[in-house]
Amino acid sequence: MKLTKEQQALWDGAKGDCMAKIVKTLVLYGDCFGADEMVPVTGTQGHLVTSFGISTMKPVYDLITDLLNAGVLSSQPFSVDPRPLDPHVPAGFLQSIFFRIMYSKQAQYEAHLNKLGLINTDAFTCACYLDEVGNKPEKGDILSWAESSAVVYANSVLGARCNRNSAIIELFGSIAGFVPSFGLLTDEGRKATWIIDVATAEKPEAQILGSAIGLKVVEGIPYIKNLDKWLDRELTNTTLNYLKDMGAATAADGAVGLYHVENLTPEAKSEGERLIAGNAQEYRIDDAELSRVRENYPVIWKNPDAKPKLCFVGCPHLSYTQLIEWTDKLSESLTRHNRRTLNVPTVFTTAPPVLEKFRTTPAYRYLTTVGVVVSGICPLMYMNNPLCGKQPIMTNSNKLRTYSSARYYTDDEILALISKNKVPSSKDGGET
Ligand code: F3S
């Protein structure tokens, strides 16, 4: 690893032992991936993945305490993944007590993040790139992020450059102001290793398409053809929402950090098929393939025919336009089923600044009357414990399905399930 004079001085302890350890860690990290230099972080804001003050995470708290004691702060302000707690999200008595014990360090952890460089107390979301949040990198920016859904969005849709870093490594990059140059930071590392031919007869469900791609290419880079015909020809809000959800599924069911969509995403637009590596493999996705992928999702509820106890929509967090669209569709569905309230308690999750804006709308008031809670929580953090893990919880998110016991349904199925008097059993096909 070639270090600049300034970087070498940091390694040698010019800014103290703590900073020297950070630089050494980043160098070791780069060495593992064959990096031979560091490059400056140019995005104006960082993003941290560790948002939860879980009582067992002592080494992280010790590390952050050491940083603060040494006066080593982030060189850039940062946003953080969503909070694990929201008292408005339905939870049983035992669950509520359990949450308080499990996340007993939350207040202390947030206070430390604040000193370290947190943008503000509203900056808790995985969709930090939404306009209302404002942590939106420019094309070509070098980032030090780790949240998989945000990394794949920043690389693919915004054209920024970021590796799929781990928690804490991403903080170290933001503190040092530089990161090792390898993988998705390099031109070569951004070449497509897979050509995906979307050959469906109708617009594919974003979450299932992303899942199919992720399961097939794993950490490869897909160049997706024939998807643009199902989307707006520009990066409109509808297309951005689709790409956000599809990308999160590629990153959760596989380890995709970057995808290119023919005629749409910035690099595919400017470079076209020159982005495709010479030995790229091919994968054709038709309706039968999407059905095969979907049918292989395991249902791990204790009782597959149980009535869902809770429904989460929004993982990654919903955008403002998605909240409006869901409200319109829900209102239409409830009217069609002659109901005034939901059949299943439902939580729409979004970024706190989006919620602030949405709170002033008639749509928000409508949702509160029919029984939807709009929250800034992370549903995975809500579910990732023995008590919630046993509950029959459903979601339209493949990421939440993959990392928890939540059961996946498409958007239309979710709408029907939360609007009807009866939830069909698995014997009826389990669907709408
Ligand atoms: Fe975001 Fe939590 Fe889902 S971080 S992508 S809401 S698992």
Side-chain angles (χ1 to χ4, degrees):
M1 175 81 72
K2 290 188 298 267
L3 295 181
T4 63
K5 255 181 24 201
E6 293 75 21
Q7 290 161 358
Q8 185 64 51
L10 293 178
W11 169 290
D12 292 336
K15 286 200 179 167
D17 283 353
C18 207
M19 183 60 108
K21 283 184 192 168
I22 286 171
V23 173
K24 286 173 186 172
T25 306
L26 288 170
V27 168
L28 285 173
Y29 173 48
D31 283 348
C32 290
F33 292 93
D36 55 12
E37 63 172 348
M38 294 286 179
V39 285
V41 171
T42 60
T44 53
Q45 296 176 326
H47 182 83
L48 305 192
V49 73
T50 312
S51 60
F52 40 93
I54 199 163
S55 42
T56 52
M57 228 168 45
K58 189 169 176 301
V60 171
Y61 310 132
D62 290 348
L63 182 144
I64 290 186
T65 304
D66 284 354
L67 293 175
L68 292 174
N69 287 343
V72 174
L73 307 181
S74 178
S75 65
Q76 49 176 191
F78 54 78
S79 46
V80 189
D81 262 8
R83 291 187 168 103
L85 294 170
D86 178 350
H88 301 105
V89 172
F93 178 68
L94 273 182
Q95 279 169 292
S96 305
I97 306 255
F98 191 78
F99 281 145
R100 258 183 270 151
I101 297 169
M102 187 171 168
Y103 294 116
S104 58
K105 301 280 184 210
Q106 190 65 26
Q108 180 196 324
Y109 183 59
E110 288 190 22
H112 281 178
L113 289 178
N114 207 25
K115 287 184 189 157
L116 207 56
L118 180 64
I119 294 169
N120 58 50
T121 51
D122 258 359
F124 283 86
T125 176
C126 44
C128 58
Y129 43 77
L130 294 176
D131 287 340
E132 294 83 355
V133 186
N135 186 357
K136 188 175 187 175
E138 301 281 331
K139 186 173 183 218
D141 271 342
I142 305 287
L143 311 179
S144 184
W145 294 6
E147 163 53 44
S148 67
S149 64
V151 167
V152 73
Y153 188 94
N155 274 317
S156 314
V157 180
L158 303 176
R161 295 188 170 211
C162 185
N163 278 315
R164 277 175 53 102
N165 303 297
S166 68
I168 304 299
I169 282 285
E170 103 274 52
L171 169 62
F172 285 3
S174 280
I175 289 173
F178 49 80
V179 285
S181 177
F182 66 90
L184 297 175
L185 302 197
T186 67
D187 289 346
E188 201 49 38
R190 296 176 74 85
K191 290 257 159 110
T193 51
W194 281 85
I195 299 169
I196 311 295
D197 177 17
V198 176
T200 53
E202 52 191 42
K203 181 177 178 178
E205 192 82 16
Q207 294 277 355
I208 304 180
L209 178 64
S211 164
I213 294 172
L215 288 166
K216 175 63 80 177
V217 313
V218 193
E219 80 278 29
I221 299 174
Y223 186 94
I224 308 170
K225 293 185 170 187
N226 302 315
L227 176 60
D228 56 316
K229 72 177 178 199
W230 297 114
L231 305 174
D232 298 333
R233 290 304 168 108
E234 298 296 325
L235 292 176
T236 58
N237 283 330
T238 309
T239 299
L240 293 174
N241 293 335
Y242 186 97
L243 296 179
K244 167 174 77 75
D245 292 341
M246 183 195 78
T250 67
D253 284 11
V256 174
L258 164 67
Y259 59 82
H260 304 292
V261 180
E262 184 181 47
N263 300 322
L264 259 185
T265 52
E267 281 151 272
K269 263 187 126 163
S270 59
E271 300 199 37
E273 296 199 4
R274 287 194 299 278
L275 278 172
I276 302 173
N279 55 353
Q281 302 178 73
E282 294 188 25
Y283 176 38
R284 184 172 184 274
I285 300 179
D286 56 15
D287 296 302
E289 177 64 355
L290 289 182
S291 299
R292 184 193 67 78
V293 168
R294 162 81 193 268
E295 280 157 19
N296 276 303
Y297 295 158
V299 176
I300 54 176
W301 289 357
K302 210 167 164 192
N303 170 13
D305 293 333
K307 180 181 176 188
K309 213 167 171 185
L310 192 60
C311 170
F312 278 112
V313 171
C315 167
H317 276 171
L318 295 170
S319 68
Y320 180 80
T321 49
Q322 283 181 305
L323 282 169
I324 297 287
E325 281 164 17
W326 269 97
T327 310
D328 289 346
K329 287 192 283 188
L330 188 57
S331 155
E332 191 271 327
S333 183
L334 282 175
T335 307
R336 188 150 39 86
H337 291 102
N338 205 19
R339 283 182 66 95
R340 291 202 177 154
T341 54
L342 299 183
N343 186 38
V344 178
T346 296
V347 182
F348 288 176
T349 69
T350 190
V354 176
L355 176 52
E356 263 330 286
K357 178 175 163 186
F358 184 63
R359 220 188 275 282
T360 61
T361 63
Y364 175 79
R365 285 191 288 283
Y366 172 77
L367 289 184
T368 55
T369 59
V370 299
V372 175
V373 172
V374 188
S375 167
I377 199 173
C378 168
L380 179 57
M381 293 298 108
Y382 175 98
M383 286 197 65
N384 226 347
N385 64 74
L387 287 182
C388 293
K390 288 188 181 145
Q391 309 285 349
I393 293 178
M394 62 178 183
T395 181
N396 70 337
S397 161
N398 237 320
K399 179 168 179 179
L400 187 58
R401 175 197 70 78
T402 302
Y403 295 151
S404 76
S405 56
R407 183 172 182 172
Y408 172 80
Y409 290 98
T410 66
D411 290 1
D412 286 346
E413 289 163 356
I414 292 265
L415 268 177
L417 289 167
I418 62 181
S419 311
K420 271 186 179 173
N421 281 315
K422 173 178 173 280
V423 175
S425 80
S426 58
K427 296 174 197 95
D428 308 322
E431 311 302 357
T432 58

